[in-house]
């Protein structure tokens, strides 16, 4: 319970609330999260609070528009991407908690403190095409323990499966700024309380409904998908006149943070399948700082996170910017989708 709420928790109606509205650190201590990991998480959140403020300033913050450079993924980099990346990088590398960081915006991992216990992969601003239209964007992060036998700055340090994540989360810069995070003891929702500047726990142990009638996919790629995905989506669109005998709704935010947040809140299936649009690049989403952290969050909330070949978190990464096929969300619907690949 926060200092700001003077509630009588002896009242049975309010006793449940005692566990909620908790500040972040006590909530993490309740989940037995080690103190140095709590300190690292607080460092990450300090950067996201600054990004949240700058995002809310919009044009006033003079951060709109594109730089002339292109980032290493070949996409036009928005100025806010650059700002967010620098903020994240600086604050993490100065903290002493991290041995290295890896960012969507950096070609290679960047060395931190040789004695740092953790390594952090992050996408500083996911959904960057939404920046200029004042729509949903977010920061995604994934934390692993740093291997002791490798030097800081060695990219191989990051080649650890999603199963080995000790923490994953995202901060969604929406109408409210929300933190969604897991340390392996359930997925919890927090909201940034701007009056005291901290994140407060608002929902513990979020559960993704196992069934759904909502799907998220970029339909404009339809003709490039493989046959199983073509057939699956065709059956969803056929609605109550097709084999599924029920109508489905579609949503696409074009920011994975926004789409996965909706799935965590009310269920759904989110997929970015393999496609043949660019034959040299069959997948779009990144394993280390998009698919793995979202997979950890969804599995901790009772959902599934797969490729058509197996569990996302079982993949042994080959490179820090590896891309991967993604089929994730409500358990029964993901299983249904995968049945088309058999
Ligand atoms: P950007 O951050 O480069 O805008 O990409 C966002 C993203 O990686 C993911 O968050 C979205 O789900 C997906 O790309 C959107 O892809 P489309 O551009 O094909 O809609």
């Amino acid at each position: 319970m926060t200092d700001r709420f003077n509630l009588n928790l002896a009242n049975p109606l309010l006793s449940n609330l005692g566990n909620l509205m908790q500040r972040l650190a006590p909530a993490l201590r309740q989940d037995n999260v080690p103190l140095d990991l709590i300190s690292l998480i607080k460092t990450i959140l300090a950067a996201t609070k600054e990004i949240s403020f700058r995002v809310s300033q919009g044009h006033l913050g003079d951060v709109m528009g594109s730089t002339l450079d292109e980032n290493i993924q070949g996409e036009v980099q928005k100025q806010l991407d650059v700002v967010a990346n620098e903020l994240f990088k600086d604050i993490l590398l100065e903290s002493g908690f991290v041995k290295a960081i890896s960012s969507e915006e950096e070609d290679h991992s960047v060395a931190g403190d040789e004695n740092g216990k953790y390594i952090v992969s992050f996408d500083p601003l996911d959904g960057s095409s939404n920046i200029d239209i004042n729509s949903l964007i977010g920061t995604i992060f994934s934390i692993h323990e740093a291997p002791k036998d490798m030097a800081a700055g060695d990219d191989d340090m990051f080649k650890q499966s999603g199963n080995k994540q000790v923490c994953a989360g995202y901060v969604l810069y929406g109408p409210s700024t929300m933190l969604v995070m897991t340390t392996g003891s359930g997925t919890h929702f927090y909201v940034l309380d701007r009056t005291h500047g901290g994140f407060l726990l608002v929902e513990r142990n979020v559960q993704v409904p196992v069934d759904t009638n909502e799907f998220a996919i970029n339909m404009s790629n339809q003709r490039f998908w493989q046959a199983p995905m073509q057939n699956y989506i065709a059956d969803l669109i056929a609605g109550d006149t097709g084999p599924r005998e029920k109508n489905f709704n579609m949503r696409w935010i074009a920011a994975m943070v926004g789409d996965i947040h909706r799935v965590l809140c009310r269920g759904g299936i989110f997929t970015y399948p393999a496609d043949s649009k660019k034959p040299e690049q069959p997948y779009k989403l990144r394993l280390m700082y998009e698919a793995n952290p979202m997979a950890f969050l969804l599995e901790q909330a009772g959902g599934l996170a797969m490729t058509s070949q197996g569990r996302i978190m079982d993949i042994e990464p080959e490179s820090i910017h590896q891309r991967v096929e993604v089929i994730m969300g409500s358990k029964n619907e993901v299983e249904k989708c995968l049945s088309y690949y058999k």
Side-chain angles (χ1 to χ4, degrees):
M1 184 181 135
T2 69
D3 309 330
R4 296 179 47 248
F5 297 92
N6 191 17
L7 303 175
N8 174 13
L9 297 183
N11 178 341
L13 285 176
L14 296 178
S15 59
N16 224 0
L17 205 58
N19 248 348
L20 300 178
M21 298 297 204
Q22 240 179 351
R23 286 177 193 256
L24 182 89
L28 292 174
R29 283 198 295 271
Q30 191 175 322
D31 286 345
N32 297 316
V33 179
L35 288 182
D36 46 6
L37 183 53
I38 294 181
S39 301
L40 171 56
I41 291 168
K42 284 165 96 175
T43 305
I44 289 174
L45 297 179
T48 64
K49 281 187 232 172
E50 178 65 25
I51 297 169
S52 169
F53 174 72
R54 293 190 188 216
V55 167
S56 72
Q57 290 286 91
H59 287 76
L60 305 180
D62 195 27
V63 290
M64 305 297 282
S66 304
T67 61
L68 293 176
D69 295 332
E70 291 203 342
N71 73 2
I72 52 144
Q73 313 282 349
E75 297 148 356
V76 177
Q77 214 176 27
K78 307 286 175 182
Q79 208 172 330
L80 192 54
D81 297 19
V82 180
V83 171
N85 187 52
E86 292 301 323
L87 266 169
F88 239 84
K89 202 169 66 169
D90 291 350
I91 201 164
L92 281 173
L93 295 179
E94 279 166 18
S95 72
F97 300 123
V98 296
K99 192 160 176 177
I101 58 109
S102 164
S103 162
E104 186 195 11
E105 307 293 343
E106 304 282 339
D107 207 345
H108 291 286
S109 63
V110 183
D113 190 318
E114 222 22 273
N115 298 316
K117 199 172 165 195
Y118 299 101
I119 54 174
V120 183
S121 306
F122 57 88
D123 182 351
L125 263 201
D126 178 59
S128 46
S129 65
N130 283 349
I131 295 172
D132 289 343
I133 59 168
N134 197 17
S135 193
L136 279 183
I137 45 179
T139 297
I140 310 175
F141 58 90
S142 160
I143 307 176
H144 283 87
E145 283 184 358
K148 293 196 179 72
D149 54 347
M150 286 187 203
D154 184 344
D155 282 2
D156 285 351
M157 233 180 346
F158 287 84
K159 294 180 186 167
Q160 301 186 43
S161 74
N163 288 325
K164 293 190 177 151
Q165 292 173 104
V166 293
C167 175
Y170 61 81
V171 173
L172 183 66
Y173 309 111
S176 62
T177 292
M178 284 191 79
L179 164 68
V180 177
M181 190 170 65
T182 182
T183 52
S185 306
T187 292
H188 312 319
F189 284 175
Y190 304 80
V191 172
L192 178 61
D193 176 2
R194 293 184 198 278
T195 59
H196 86 283
F199 284 92
L200 299 180
L201 180 67
V202 292
E203 199 171 335
R204 189 173 254 289
N205 288 322
V206 174
Q207 290 297 310
V208 180
V210 291
D211 291 304
T212 183
N213 58 1
E214 204 159 64
F215 66 99
I217 192 166
N218 184 340
M219 282 296 295
S220 69
N221 294 328
Q222 183 173 22
R223 67 189 185 284
F224 302 109
W225 300 331
Q226 297 166 338
M229 190 54 78
Q230 296 269 6
N231 296 336
Y232 168 68
I233 296 292
D235 286 352
L236 299 190
I237 292 172
D240 58 8
T241 59
R244 299 297 303 273
E245 296 177 340
K246 66 173 183 174
N247 293 324
F248 282 79
N249 188 22
M250 198 200 87
R251 288 283 183 270
W252 187 249
I253 292 175
M256 193 183 191
V257 278
D259 281 309
I260 295 299
H261 192 67
R262 186 188 58 256
V263 169
L264 281 165
C265 289
R266 66 180 190 211
I269 182 168
F270 169 90
T271 175
Y272 214 112
D275 65 48
S276 58
K277 204 169 169 183
K278 291 188 208 160
E280 74 288 358
Q281 185 193 298
Y283 315 121
K284 163 130 197 201
L285 300 183
R286 275 54 68 106
L287 175 64
M288 306 301 290
Y289 37 82
E290 289 185 311
N292 265 342
M294 294 310 193
F296 195 14
L297 291 167
L298 277 167
E299 286 198 6
Q300 284 290 314
L304 279 186
M306 310 290 288
T307 71
S308 59
Q309 306 304 312
R311 248 178 103 240
I312 286 174
M313 289 204 289
D314 286 339
I315 297 172
E316 295 295 338
E318 285 162 15
S319 72
I320 58 175
H321 295 298
Q322 184 169 338
R323 296 175 189 261
V324 70
E325 178 184 33
V326 166
I327 303 170
M328 50 174 63
S330 293
K331 183 173 176 294
N332 290 345
E333 198 54 42
V334 171
E335 282 171 351
K336 185 77 187 167
C337 175
L338 294 177
S339 70
Y340 286 70
Y341 286 85
K342 287 184 181 139

